[in-house]
Amino acid sequence: MTVVPDDIKLCCAAAYSTAAARFLLGESFHPGGAALTARLGAELQVGPGATVVDVASGPGTSALELARECGCDVVGVDLSADSVAAATEAAEAAGYGDRVRFTVGDAEALPFDDASMDGALCECALCTFPDKGTAAAEIARVLRPGARLALSDMTADTERLPLELKSLHAWVACIADARPLAELAALIGRAGFTVERVERHDEALERLLERVDARLSLAGVVTESATAVAAGRDVGSAARDAVAAGTLGYGVVVARRV
Ligand SMILES: C[S@@+](CC[C@H](N)C(=O)[O-])C[C@H]1O[C@@H](n2cnc3c(N)ncnc32)[C@H](O)[C@@H]1O
C-alpha cells in the first residue's frame, strides 16, 4: 500500500470525529476504556498543580478522567478541530473547563514548549501516526526530565497480518501500521525515555471488537449503507481472528523521561 502521510492523518482525524465513531466505540476510543485510562493515570504519578498532555485526545473522555482521578490539569491535543470542539464542550459541561482544555495540533509537531509538561498520556493513537519516531521524540521534548509517558496502543506482528488488515481502512482502524509491543518499547526508549513497564491487554481489545461487531450488526438492520457495514464487519472478523492467533493485540508502555 502506498501511503501519503498527510492523507492518512486527515483521514484518521475525520473518522474519529464522527457520530458513527462514538456509536461504535463508546465514550473512550481505545480498548480498556476509562478503567485502563485510570490505571495509566496512576502510573504518571502526578497530582494537583501538575499539567499532563493527552496526545491525540479524541473525544476528551480520558483527559477528563485524568483530571478527576489525579487532580492534575490536562491539555489535550488532537488533529481534528471537530474533536477538539466536542471535547472542550464536554469539559465545560462537566465543570472542568478551568482545568481541562484542548487544542488543535499534530502529534508530530506538538504546539508546546520544551519541558513544559509533567506527564503525557497517549492512547490508541501512535499506531495511526505515519512518523512514530518523530511523535515519540516530540512527546519527549515537551516533558520535563523525570516526567512519565503512559502509552497504550494496538500491537501487531506486522509480517503475519492478513491482507484485509493492511488496507487504508485498517490503518484508520488502528491496525495496519500497528507494531509489535517490543518494537514500541524500543522506539520509546530511543526517543529519550527509560522504559519502566510493558504489559499486554489483548483481552481488552477482544472486548472492544465484540462491542463494535454488535453495534455494526445493529446498524446493519437500520442503515442504507449495508455494504459499508458488511465491509466493517469483515475487517472486524479478520481482526478477531488475528487476536485469537496472537497476531494482533493491545499493549501498555510506561516510560520515564531521561
Ligand atoms: C483511536 S482515536 C483515540 C482517541 C483518544 N486517545 C482515546 O483513546 O479516546 C485516535 C485519535 O488520534 C487523532 N489523531 C490521528 N492522527 C493525529 C495526529 N497526527 N496528531 C494528533 N492527533 C491525531 C485522531 O483525530 C483521533 O482522535
Side-chain angles (χ1 to χ4, degrees):
M1 180 180 43
T2 310
V3 166
V4 181
D6 284 347
D7 289 355
I8 288 273
K9 288 186 198 175
L10 292 177
C11 208
C12 286
Y16 287 104
S17 63
T18 58
R22 181 79 67 143
F23 171 75
L24 292 176
L25 298 169
E27 296 296 312
S28 297
F29 291 2
H30 59 264
L36 190 53
T37 301
R39 269 276 326 278
L40 295 185
E43 294 287 349
L44 292 176
Q45 301 179 31
V46 293
T51 303
V52 171
V53 58
D54 180 5
V55 179
S57 45
T61 312
S62 297
L64 270 171
E65 178 72 22
L66 277 187
R68 276 194 207 103
E69 291 292 317
C70 306
C72 57
D73 291 0
V74 185
V75 51
V77 57
D78 199 283
L79 202 55
S80 160
D82 288 344
S83 292
V84 164
T88 303
E89 210 171 291
E92 276 162 13
Y96 279 81
D98 54 337
R99 284 180 38 215
V100 180
R101 64 185 181 85
F102 298 90
T103 188
V104 176
D106 189 337
E108 295 173 10
L110 288 172
F112 307 115
D113 291 339
D114 295 1
S116 56
M117 299 289 165
D118 303 300
L121 179 75
C122 183
E123 297 173 300
C124 204
L126 193 70
C127 52
T128 68
F129 304 157
D131 188 343
K132 299 176 197 335
T134 295
E138 275 294 276
I139 296 174
R141 179 184 66 76
V142 303
L143 283 177
R144 63 164 174 74
R148 287 183 171 78
L149 161 66
L151 176 136
S152 68
D153 208 3
M154 296 286 284
T155 62
D157 181 347
T158 338
E159 302 296 311
R160 288 172 55 216
L161 275 185
L163 212 55
E164 61 266 46
L165 295 183
K166 290 184 173 172
S167 63
L168 176 61
H169 284 119
W171 189 310
V172 173
C174 297
I175 296 170
D177 202 43
R179 304 295 165 86
L181 187 53
E183 190 179 318
L184 278 185
L187 182 142
I188 288 166
R190 282 196 302 276
F193 290 92
T194 303
V195 173
E196 295 184 323
R197 180 185 286 271
V198 177
E199 293 172 2
R200 299 214 68 93
H201 288 269
D202 299 347
E203 71 301 334
L205 176 59
E206 268 172 43
R207 287 198 300 275
L208 185 65
L209 288 170
E210 275 160 24
R211 176 203 159 98
V212 169
D213 189 57
R215 291 277 160 146
L216 280 171
S217 150
L218 195 63
V221 179
V222 291
T223 186
E224 286 167 12
S225 321
T227 318
V229 168
R233 290 193 79 186
D234 285 348
V235 170
S237 165
R240 288 200 305 281
D241 289 348
V243 176
T247 312
L248 195 63
Y250 201 69
V252 161
V253 178
V254 179
R256 187 172 182 272
R257 175 77 173 98
V258 174

